[in-house]
Amino acid sequence: MFRILAAAAVILATPAGAQTMLGDLHIATPMLRATPPNAPVAGGFLTIENRGAEDDILIAARVDGAVAAEMQLHEMAMENGVMSMFEVEGGIAVPAGETVILRPGGLHLMLMGLPEALAEGDSHEITLTFAQAGELALDFPVLSLGDIRAALGDEAGDGDAEHGGMKHGDGEGHAGHGN
Ligand SMILES: [Cu+2]
């Protein structure tokens, strides 16, 4: 009995444990990356599994202006040997039967114009808008990059590749936020 209770406690304590259904979409691992003071931007991550027969699209995400002035949907990729990021045109597709993971080094939510640093242990509500499934407001806990990678089962240690020489496609001074 004690062992079962202990196991349950561990599951509840998992940083990115929140998950929910929105229509046919199973949404899990909502997370924001903690930022150092005065960082202009922060990355947001989540897992979207489309269990339905219809394709969907994450078309927008928004947050209270006290957290970030603006939020964009971003993609990160190597371009001429340099890690760059840019806004995803038309939103992030979530095809029927597929799972799309927003994670460090790939697709992500980009919170821009942060009035204050995002502090580990805090959480912020983000509203996601899908073309088919509609809207969902979800709490995104703020975690360290290491905790985010661990929650996603990503390997640590490749973070340096993302920091070196990264630049934003729009050139608005988000370089090197290491999202
Ligand atoms: Cu970005």
Side-chain angles (χ1 to χ4, degrees):
M1 191 58 190
F2 173 77
R3 202 172 290 176
I4 292 168
L5 287 173
V10 168
I11 290 165
L12 290 172
T14 300
Q19 48 182 292
T20 187
M21 290 293 295
L22 173 68
D24 289 327
L25 304 180
H26 180 255
I27 296 172
T29 69
M31 298 178 284
L32 292 172
R33 181 175 173 183
T35 61
N38 303 318
V41 298
F45 312 101
L46 71 156
T47 301
I48 309 162
E49 179 188 355
N50 188 344
R51 296 178 177 174
E54 227 183 314
D55 295 346
D56 210 336
I57 305 169
L58 174 60
I59 49 177
R62 63 179 193 273
V63 69
D64 192 281
V67 179
E70 188 193 349
M71 189 158 5
Q72 295 182 353
L73 308 175
H74 273 199
E75 186 165 14
M76 186 178 271
M78 291 297 284
E79 223 173 57
N80 302 321
V82 178
M83 189 61 86
S84 305
M85 67 170 78
F86 40 88
E87 197 166 3
V88 183
E89 289 192 30
I92 294 174
V94 189
E98 292 192 18
T99 299
V100 174
I101 303 175
L102 281 68
R103 61 177 6 135
L107 293 163
H108 56 278
L109 307 177
M110 181 99 286
L111 287 74
M112 308 171 76
L114 305 180
E116 288 179 36
L118 300 188
E120 234 180 300
D122 284 356
S123 72
H124 301 289
E125 187 180 87
I126 290 177
T127 301
L128 306 168
T129 305
F130 293 92
Q132 303 298 329
E135 282 200 353
L136 173 72
L138 197 59
D139 264 340
F140 280 60
V142 179
L143 303 172
S144 69
L145 179 60
D147 285 346
I148 289 170
R149 289 192 192 282
L152 293 170
D154 285 352
E155 284 181 28
D158 60 342
D160 287 347
E162 292 171 21
H163 286 77
M166 190 177 60
K167 64 176 177 63
H168 248 85
D170 60 9
E172 281 188 85
H174 315 122
H177 71 72
N179 171 50

